[in-house]
Amino acid sequence: MTELDTGDAGDTAESTATAAAHTPAETGRRAHASRRGFMRKVFLAGGATAVATMGGAGAWTALADDDTTTADPDPSATATTDPSGAPSGGPGGPGGGAGGPGSEEITEEFFGVTTDGKRIDDLYTVHSQGVKTAPVIAAATAFLAGLSDTERSDVQFSLHSTEWRLWSNIDGYTRQGVSIEDLSDEKNALGEALLTAALSAQGLETTQLTRRINKAACEAINQTQYAEAYYWTVMGTPSATEPWGFQFDGHHLVINYFVLGDQVVMSPCFWGCEPTSMEIDNKTVDVMQDEIKAALAAINALDTTQRSAAILKSTKDNEELIAGAFSDNAVQAYTGIQASKLTSAQRTKLLALIELFVGKAKNDVAKVQMSEIRKHIQDTHFAWMGGTAAKSAFYCRVQSPVIWIEVDCQSPFAFGSLYGEENGGAPTQQHLHCVVRTPNGNDYGKELLRQHLLTSPHHR
């Protein structure tokens, strides 16, 4: 499926498969819930592994999906799980990182991104981190309070809902929640206040510029149905003590934000755009330029020997992304150059690249995460594909036990004509896909949630 594909191939079969699975609670959802119901149905068919991993009979209740899911998973569903708890497969096939055909479903229980299919233990613990989460709790509470009953029903899911994992960077992807297009100005202002509370000034600017360029580009090619296709969902109930979170999901922009007390996990996130530079109202609007420059600065700081270790290939294919949408359990061995082989100045440039992505979260959240990343800097690897000139298309990956970042320049797709390129041509910096994850099981705050459920008396 292309990023602006309006085709419905395959939907008929999925709708037929899920028609009998909907519960009465689904009646308040939009018609596209049938597609999501199918995905959950497939996923839940292997639910025993998740419960075994969580431990304890109470985990059945704690892990129950939201009320849009069928209560009795169909044993004929084609879930692929491994009783060991390890993922049964690695990264998706070609196009999987973009949420392409054949990958828009969940067939494995969550395990997390790893180097070898085995998680490293004791990386994440439930403890006080001093992050000020009160502003984001207040903003989320106000956002929910400002919605109508129907909108709130569409937005709010159980904390344990598979809705967390059903995100995609594709415009034409069928989403749940409520879209910014369908909300009034007053309600959208409450949503913007939530983003402001959760993100740094740099992160907020990235979300605003991405949406601005997307809207202008869609209007320029008469695809206005995708101009404001960004959706809100809230998982659980905003609380100072109990876990909860939210998701903001749309074209080239996905934010997953988990809160537990004064701890925050903001991943997976997808940051991108096409084009990354565009004339709007006679003014050039740019996005993600600092990230591109920082990546190039990191590779160009290396000497010839170091480059030979870091650069996996000098050519750039269209799709190099590994851990994009529907690739929560991607397995990727360390490749490239290890940061222990870098000089202090070279590591500083690598950390500057990392901080541009981590720094999209509020400053205190980013400070905590950067501290963890520095603890593992010697075990961090930096890999590169493509050219290294100022305008070269490239792919790079930063990978450590606690951070995963991919930066991928892709071929012109829907908007190539807007910047003088043929759609489907050579990869370009004008079409950028970036993914940020927390490896070893803590995307969506899953590891913190697991520990909370096992150790909190009221969950036993």
Tab-separated table of all heavy atoms in Angstrom, residues 188-238:
chain	number	residue	atom	x	y	z
A	188	ASN	N	-9.474	21.381	19.466
A	188	ASN	CA	-8.112	21.230	18.938
A	188	ASN	C	-7.109	22.024	19.773
A	188	ASN	O	-5.958	21.616	19.921
A	188	ASN	CB	-8.054	21.661	17.479
A	188	ASN	CG	-8.354	20.520	16.521
A	188	ASN	OD1	-7.897	19.395	16.735
A	188	ASN	ND2	-9.105	20.791	15.478
A	189	ALA	N	-7.553	23.143	20.307
A	189	ALA	CA	-6.670	23.926	21.177
A	189	ALA	C	-6.310	23.124	22.431
A	189	ALA	O	-5.172	23.184	22.921
A	189	ALA	CB	-7.338	25.241	21.565
A	190	LEU	N	-7.254	22.334	22.944
A	190	LEU	CA	-6.973	21.476	24.094
A	190	LEU	C	-5.984	20.374	23.713
A	190	LEU	O	-5.118	20.002	24.515
A	190	LEU	CB	-8.268	20.861	24.621
A	190	LEU	CG	-9.267	21.836	25.251
A	190	LEU	CD1	-10.588	21.125	25.547
A	190	LEU	CD2	-8.693	22.461	26.526
A	191	GLY	N	-6.115	19.858	22.489
A	191	GLY	CA	-5.151	18.875	22.006
A	191	GLY	C	-3.768	19.474	21.855
A	191	GLY	O	-2.759	18.849	22.226
A	192	GLU	N	-3.697	20.684	21.331
A	192	GLU	CA	-2.408	21.357	21.188
A	192	GLU	C	-1.781	21.611	22.553
A	192	GLU	O	-0.557	21.530	22.713
A	192	GLU	CB	-2.576	22.672	20.429
A	192	GLU	CG	-2.858	22.513	18.945
A	192	GLU	CD	-1.721	21.817	18.217
A	192	GLU	OE1	-0.556	22.238	18.372
A	192	GLU	OE2	-1.997	20.840	17.497
A	193	ALA	N	-2.621	21.906	23.543
A	193	ALA	CA	-2.110	22.120	24.899
A	193	ALA	C	-1.499	20.838	25.453
A	193	ALA	O	-0.509	20.881	26.196
A	193	ALA	CB	-3.232	22.616	25.804
A	194	LEU	N	-2.079	19.688	25.090
A	194	LEU	CA	-1.508	18.412	25.523
A	194	LEU	C	-0.149	18.173	24.880
A	194	LEU	O	0.804	17.752	25.545
A	194	LEU	CB	-2.476	17.273	25.198
A	194	LEU	CG	-2.012	15.842	25.507
A	194	LEU	CD1	-1.503	15.716	26.935
A	194	LEU	CD2	-3.144	14.853	25.241
A	195	LEU	N	-0.044	18.463	23.590
A	195	LEU	CA	1.260	18.341	22.925
A	195	LEU	C	2.277	19.295	23.532
A	195	LEU	O	3.444	18.939	23.741
A	195	LEU	CB	1.111	18.621	21.426
A	195	LEU	CG	0.412	17.554	20.583
A	195	LEU	CD1	0.274	18.032	19.140
A	195	LEU	CD2	1.151	16.224	20.637
A	196	THR	N	1.835	20.508	23.842
A	196	THR	CA	2.732	21.496	24.444
A	196	THR	C	3.239	21.027	25.798
A	196	THR	O	4.405	21.235	26.157
A	196	THR	CB	2.009	22.844	24.590
A	196	THR	OG1	1.599	23.301	23.295
A	196	THR	CG2	2.915	23.888	25.216
A	197	ALA	N	2.360	20.368	26.565
A	197	ALA	CA	2.745	19.876	27.891
A	197	ALA	C	3.715	18.704	27.799
A	197	ALA	O	4.552	18.506	28.683
A	197	ALA	CB	1.504	19.463	28.680
A	198	ALA	N	3.612	17.921	26.726
A	198	ALA	CA	4.411	16.699	26.601
A	198	ALA	C	5.730	16.913	25.877
A	198	ALA	O	6.698	16.184	26.121
A	198	ALA	CB	3.604	15.625	25.871
A	199	LEU	N	5.768	17.880	24.962
A	199	LEU	CA	6.919	18.048	24.082
A	199	LEU	C	7.740	19.272	24.444
A	199	LEU	O	7.244	20.234	25.038
A	199	LEU	CB	6.449	18.163	22.632
A	199	LEU	CG	5.611	17.005	22.082
A	199	LEU	CD1	5.163	17.321	20.658
A	199	LEU	CD2	6.384	15.694	22.127
A	200	SER	N	9.002	19.242	24.032
A	200	SER	CA	9.848	20.425	24.127
A	200	SER	C	9.444	21.417	23.051
A	200	SER	O	8.638	21.109	22.159
A	200	SER	CB	11.312	20.034	23.942
A	200	SER	OG	11.523	19.570	22.606
A	201	ALA	N	10.006	22.609	23.098
A	201	ALA	CA	9.727	23.602	22.057
A	201	ALA	C	10.141	23.063	20.692
A	201	ALA	O	9.438	23.259	19.694
A	201	ALA	CB	10.465	24.903	22.373
A	202	GLN	N	11.266	22.348	20.657
A	202	GLN	CA	11.740	21.771	19.395
A	202	GLN	C	10.806	20.674	18.908
A	202	GLN	O	10.480	20.591	17.721
A	202	GLN	CB	13.148	21.215	19.605
A	202	GLN	CG	13.796	20.638	18.346
A	202	GLN	CD	14.101	19.148	18.453
A	202	GLN	OE1	13.645	18.363	17.634
A	202	GLN	NE2	14.876	18.755	19.459
A	203	GLY	N	10.344	19.832	19.830
A	203	GLY	CA	9.429	18.760	19.455
A	203	GLY	C	8.091	19.297	18.984
A	203	GLY	O	7.512	18.795	18.018
A	204	LEU	N	7.593	20.308	19.675
A	204	LEU	CA	6.315	20.914	19.278
A	204	LEU	C	6.432	21.566	17.908
A	204	LEU	O	5.533	21.427	17.061
A	204	LEU	CB	5.891	21.949	20.319
A	204	LEU	CG	4.534	22.617	20.092
A	204	LEU	CD1	3.405	21.594	20.141
A	204	LEU	CD2	4.295	23.723	21.124
A	205	GLU	N	7.552	22.243	17.664
A	205	GLU	CA	7.753	22.874	16.355
A	205	GLU	C	7.776	21.817	15.249
A	205	GLU	O	7.199	22.026	14.170
A	205	GLU	CB	9.058	23.659	16.352
A	205	GLU	CG	9.334	24.363	15.021
A	205	GLU	CD	10.659	25.093	15.010
A	205	GLU	OE1	11.687	24.487	15.381
A	205	GLU	OE2	10.664	26.275	14.611
A	206	THR	N	8.427	20.672	15.505
A	206	THR	CA	8.471	19.616	14.505
A	206	THR	C	7.070	19.123	14.168
A	206	THR	O	6.735	18.934	12.994
A	206	THR	CB	9.334	18.439	14.992
A	206	THR	OG1	10.660	18.897	15.251
A	206	THR	CG2	9.391	17.333	13.941
A	207	THR	N	6.225	18.917	15.182
A	207	THR	CA	4.862	18.444	14.918
A	207	THR	C	4.076	19.486	14.136
A	207	THR	O	3.303	19.137	13.229
A	207	THR	CB	4.103	18.118	16.222
A	207	THR	OG1	3.822	19.305	16.950
A	207	THR	CG2	4.881	17.149	17.079
A	208	GLN	N	4.248	20.738	14.461
A	208	GLN	CA	3.495	21.794	13.786
A	208	GLN	C	3.943	21.964	12.335
A	208	GLN	O	3.108	22.088	11.425
A	208	GLN	CB	3.647	23.105	14.552
A	208	GLN	CG	2.961	23.091	15.913
A	208	GLN	CD	3.305	24.302	16.770
A	208	GLN	OE1	4.349	24.943	16.577
A	208	GLN	NE2	2.458	24.616	17.730
A	209	LEU	N	5.253	21.957	12.111
A	209	LEU	CA	5.766	22.128	10.748
A	209	LEU	C	5.420	20.928	9.869
A	209	LEU	O	5.089	21.088	8.690
A	209	LEU	CB	7.276	22.346	10.778
A	209	LEU	CG	7.755	23.666	11.385
A	209	LEU	CD1	9.280	23.694	11.454
A	209	LEU	CD2	7.235	24.863	10.596
A	210	THR	N	5.516	19.727	10.441
A	210	THR	CA	5.162	18.522	9.683
A	210	THR	C	3.725	18.584	9.217
A	210	THR	O	3.410	18.312	8.050
A	210	THR	CB	5.385	17.264	10.542
A	210	THR	OG1	6.771	17.170	10.877
A	210	THR	CG2	4.951	16.007	9.801
A	211	ARG	N	2.819	18.952	10.110
A	211	ARG	CA	1.406	19.036	9.743
A	211	ARG	C	1.155	20.169	8.757
A	211	ARG	O	0.326	20.043	7.853
A	211	ARG	CB	0.551	19.217	11.003
A	211	ARG	CG	0.419	17.933	11.827
A	211	ARG	CD	-0.352	18.178	13.106
A	211	ARG	NE	0.439	18.913	14.069
A	211	ARG	CZ	-0.074	19.569	15.112
A	211	ARG	NH1	-1.376	19.599	15.304
A	211	ARG	NH2	0.711	20.196	15.957
A	212	ARG	N	1.865	21.265	8.928
A	212	ARG	CA	1.687	22.395	8.002
A	212	ARG	C	2.114	22.026	6.587
A	212	ARG	O	1.398	22.302	5.616
A	212	ARG	CB	2.484	23.605	8.493
A	212	ARG	CG	2.243	24.854	7.654
A	212	ARG	CD	3.054	26.033	8.165
A	212	ARG	NE	2.844	27.212	7.331
A	212	ARG	CZ	3.556	28.320	7.397
A	212	ARG	NH1	4.544	28.417	8.303
A	212	ARG	NH2	3.314	29.337	6.583
A	213	ILE	N	3.288	21.387	6.477
A	213	ILE	CA	3.754	20.979	5.155
A	213	ILE	C	2.836	19.913	4.566
A	213	ILE	O	2.498	19.951	3.380
A	213	ILE	CB	5.209	20.473	5.231
A	213	ILE	CG1	6.164	21.640	5.519
A	213	ILE	CG2	5.616	19.771	3.928
A	213	ILE	CD1	7.611	21.222	5.734
A	214	ASN	N	2.425	18.953	5.382
A	214	ASN	CA	1.542	17.896	4.883
A	214	ASN	C	0.239	18.478	4.339
A	214	ASN	O	-0.236	18.074	3.269
A	214	ASN	CB	1.234	16.903	6.005
A	214	ASN	CG	0.355	15.756	5.533
A	214	ASN	OD1	0.782	14.898	4.780
A	214	ASN	ND2	-0.902	15.755	5.964
A	215	LYS	N	-0.326	19.426	5.057
A	215	LYS	CA	-1.583	20.033	4.613
A	215	LYS	C	-1.393	20.778	3.285
A	215	LYS	O	-2.182	20.605	2.349
A	215	LYS	CB	-2.109	20.987	5.675
A	215	LYS	CG	-3.455	21.620	5.323
A	215	LYS	CD	-3.969	22.505	6.445
A	215	LYS	CE	-5.329	23.101	6.086
A	215	LYS	NZ	-5.860	23.966	7.179
A	216	ALA	N	-0.325	21.566	3.195
A	216	ALA	CA	-0.074	22.321	1.966
A	216	ALA	C	0.210	21.391	0.791
A	216	ALA	O	-0.255	21.615	-0.326
A	216	ALA	CB	1.098	23.278	2.175
A	217	ALA	N	0.969	20.314	1.036
A	217	ALA	CA	1.292	19.365	-0.031
A	217	ALA	C	0.044	18.625	-0.498
A	217	ALA	O	-0.157	18.433	-1.709
A	217	ALA	CB	2.351	18.378	0.455
A	218	CYS	N	-0.788	18.193	0.434
A	218	CYS	CA	-2.026	17.502	0.056
A	218	CYS	C	-2.944	18.416	-0.758
A	218	CYS	O	-3.550	17.988	-1.742
A	218	CYS	CB	-2.751	17.014	1.303
A	218	CYS	SG	-2.008	15.571	2.083
A	219	GLU	N	-3.034	19.654	-0.344
A	219	GLU	CA	-3.871	20.603	-1.086
A	219	GLU	C	-3.309	20.861	-2.476
A	219	GLU	O	-4.062	21.013	-3.442
A	219	GLU	CB	-3.987	21.906	-0.292
A	219	GLU	CG	-4.824	21.760	0.981
A	219	GLU	CD	-4.779	22.991	1.867
A	219	GLU	OE1	-3.894	23.860	1.627
A	219	GLU	OE2	-5.612	23.088	2.793
A	220	ALA	N	-1.982	20.861	-2.583
A	220	ALA	CA	-1.352	21.145	-3.873
A	220	ALA	C	-1.608	20.051	-4.902
A	220	ALA	O	-1.624	20.320	-6.101
A	220	ALA	CB	0.152	21.353	-3.696
A	221	ILE	N	-1.803	18.815	-4.452
A	221	ILE	CA	-2.062	17.716	-5.396
A	221	ILE	C	-3.511	17.218	-5.305
A	221	ILE	O	-3.824	16.119	-5.755
A	221	ILE	CB	-1.077	16.542	-5.183
A	221	ILE	CG1	-1.297	15.877	-3.822
A	221	ILE	CG2	0.362	16.994	-5.353
A	221	ILE	CD1	-0.565	14.556	-3.672
A	222	ASN	N	-4.349	18.039	-4.683
A	222	ASN	CA	-5.786	17.731	-4.591
A	222	ASN	C	-6.068	16.425	-3.850
A	222	ASN	O	-6.913	15.621	-4.262
A	222	ASN	CB	-6.417	17.704	-5.987
A	222	ASN	CG	-6.351	19.045	-6.688
A	222	ASN	OD1	-6.620	20.079	-6.073
A	222	ASN	ND2	-5.950	19.035	-7.958
A	223	GLN	N	-5.347	16.202	-2.769
A	223	GLN	CA	-5.596	15.056	-1.890
A	223	GLN	C	-5.989	15.588	-0.510
A	223	GLN	O	-5.431	15.203	0.517
A	223	GLN	CB	-4.344	14.171	-1.796
A	223	GLN	CG	-4.002	13.452	-3.074
A	223	GLN	CD	-4.868	12.220	-3.291
A	223	GLN	OE1	-5.688	11.863	-2.451
A	223	GLN	NE2	-4.697	11.569	-4.431
A	224	THR	N	-6.972	16.479	-0.493
A	224	THR	CA	-7.308	17.179	0.742
A	224	THR	C	-7.895	16.267	1.809
A	224	THR	O	-7.951	16.641	2.986
A	224	THR	CB	-8.294	18.325	0.453
A	224	THR	OG1	-9.447	17.788	-0.225
A	224	THR	CG2	-7.655	19.385	-0.432
A	225	GLN	N	-8.345	15.066	1.427
A	225	GLN	CA	-8.880	14.153	2.444
A	225	GLN	C	-7.808	13.720	3.432
A	225	GLN	O	-8.113	13.201	4.512
A	225	GLN	CB	-9.522	12.922	1.789
A	225	GLN	CG	-8.567	11.944	1.137
A	225	GLN	CD	-8.297	12.265	-0.331
A	225	GLN	OE1	-8.262	13.434	-0.716
A	225	GLN	NE2	-8.133	11.228	-1.145
A	226	TYR	N	-6.532	13.921	3.084
A	226	TYR	CA	-5.441	13.539	3.962
A	226	TYR	C	-4.750	14.748	4.600
A	226	TYR	O	-3.764	14.594	5.301
A	226	TYR	CB	-4.391	12.736	3.196
A	226	TYR	CG	-4.940	11.483	2.568
A	226	TYR	CD1	-4.901	11.293	1.185
A	226	TYR	CD2	-5.510	10.487	3.359
A	226	TYR	CE1	-5.409	10.139	0.613
A	226	TYR	CE2	-6.025	9.327	2.793
A	226	TYR	CZ	-5.971	9.165	1.423
A	226	TYR	OH	-6.472	8.023	0.854
A	227	ALA	N	-5.266	15.928	4.352
A	227	ALA	CA	-4.580	17.144	4.791
A	227	ALA	C	-4.465	17.237	6.308
A	227	ALA	O	-3.468	17.748	6.836
A	227	ALA	CB	-5.297	18.378	4.248
A	228	GLU	N	-5.473	16.745	7.016
A	228	GLU	CA	-5.449	16.814	8.479
A	228	GLU	C	-5.791	15.467	9.092
A	228	GLU	O	-6.528	15.385	10.079
A	228	GLU	CB	-6.407	17.893	8.970
A	228	GLU	CG	-6.001	19.295	8.527
A	228	GLU	CD	-6.913	20.369	9.084
A	228	GLU	OE1	-8.083	20.433	8.668
A	228	GLU	OE2	-6.439	21.143	9.935
A	229	ALA	N	-5.238	14.414	8.532
A	229	ALA	CA	-5.522	13.048	8.995
A	229	ALA	C	-4.614	12.687	10.166
A	229	ALA	O	-3.752	11.809	10.075
A	229	ALA	CB	-5.353	12.059	7.848
A	230	TYR	N	-4.817	13.376	11.290
A	230	TYR	CA	-4.075	13.103	12.517
A	230	TYR	C	-5.077	12.802	13.621
A	230	TYR	O	-6.036	13.549	13.812
A	230	TYR	CB	-3.178	14.282	12.896
A	230	TYR	CG	-2.114	14.535	11.856
A	230	TYR	CD1	-2.329	15.443	10.816
A	230	TYR	CD2	-0.910	13.841	11.889
A	230	TYR	CE1	-1.369	15.642	9.843
A	230	TYR	CE2	0.062	14.041	10.915
A	230	TYR	CZ	-0.179	14.942	9.893
A	230	TYR	OH	0.779	15.138	8.925
A	231	TYR	N	-4.850	11.721	14.332
A	231	TYR	CA	-5.837	11.198	15.271
A	231	TYR	C	-5.297	11.132	16.696
A	231	TYR	O	-4.128	10.817	16.922
A	231	TYR	CB	-6.272	9.789	14.851
A	231	TYR	CG	-7.224	9.762	13.678
A	231	TYR	CD1	-6.784	10.083	12.397
A	231	TYR	CD2	-8.560	9.415	13.841
A	231	TYR	CE1	-7.654	10.064	11.316
A	231	TYR	CE2	-9.442	9.384	12.768
A	231	TYR	CZ	-8.981	9.711	11.507
A	231	TYR	OH	-9.845	9.696	10.445
A	232	TRP	N	-6.191	11.383	17.635
A	232	TRP	CA	-5.909	11.254	19.059
A	232	TRP	C	-6.506	9.970	19.616
A	232	TRP	O	-7.650	9.628	19.310
A	232	TRP	CB	-6.531	12.410	19.839
A	232	TRP	CG	-5.824	13.719	19.747
A	232	TRP	CD1	-6.185	14.813	19.012
A	232	TRP	CD2	-4.642	14.097	20.452
A	232	TRP	NE1	-5.309	15.845	19.201
A	232	TRP	CE2	-4.347	15.429	20.088
A	232	TRP	CE3	-3.803	13.441	21.354
A	232	TRP	CZ2	-3.246	16.115	20.597
A	232	TRP	CZ3	-2.708	14.122	21.857
A	232	TRP	CH2	-2.432	15.443	21.483
A	233	THR	N	-5.741	9.275	20.458
A	233	THR	CA	-6.291	8.239	21.322
A	233	THR	C	-5.643	8.397	22.701
A	233	THR	O	-4.487	8.823	22.816
A	233	THR	CB	-6.030	6.811	20.801
A	233	THR	OG1	-4.641	6.655	20.501
A	233	THR	CG2	-6.845	6.520	19.556
A	234	VAL	N	-6.398	8.063	23.729
A	234	VAL	CA	-5.895	8.102	25.108
A	234	VAL	C	-6.056	6.712	25.697
A	234	VAL	O	-7.130	6.110	25.602
A	234	VAL	CB	-6.656	9.139	25.956
A	234	VAL	CG1	-6.193	9.075	27.416
A	234	VAL	CG2	-6.440	10.545	25.400
A	235	MET	N	-4.994	6.193	26.286
A	235	MET	CA	-5.017	4.857	26.871
A	235	MET	C	-5.117	4.972	28.387
A	235	MET	O	-4.234	5.559	29.028
A	235	MET	CB	-3.755	4.075	26.500
A	235	MET	CG	-3.326	4.201	25.050
A	235	MET	SD	-4.573	3.733	23.843
A	235	MET	CE	-3.723	4.194	22.321
A	236	GLY	N	-6.178	4.424	28.948
A	236	GLY	CA	-6.383	4.524	30.377
A	236	GLY	C	-6.915	5.897	30.753
A	236	GLY	O	-7.439	6.650	29.927
A	237	THR	N	-6.760	6.251	32.012
A	237	THR	CA	-7.243	7.526	32.543
A	237	THR	C	-6.066	8.308	33.103
A	237	THR	O	-5.286	7.765	33.907
A	237	THR	CB	-8.271	7.284	33.660
A	237	THR	OG1	-9.365	6.534	33.137
A	237	THR	CG2	-8.785	8.607	34.215
A	238	PRO	N	-5.903	9.558	32.697
A	238	PRO	CA	-4.786	10.355	33.226
A	238	PRO	C	-4.763	10.329	34.747
A	238	PRO	O	-5.777	10.554	35.404
A	238	PRO	CB	-5.085	11.760	32.693
A	238	PRO	CG	-5.850	11.517	31.416
A	238	PRO	CD	-6.700	10.314	31.703
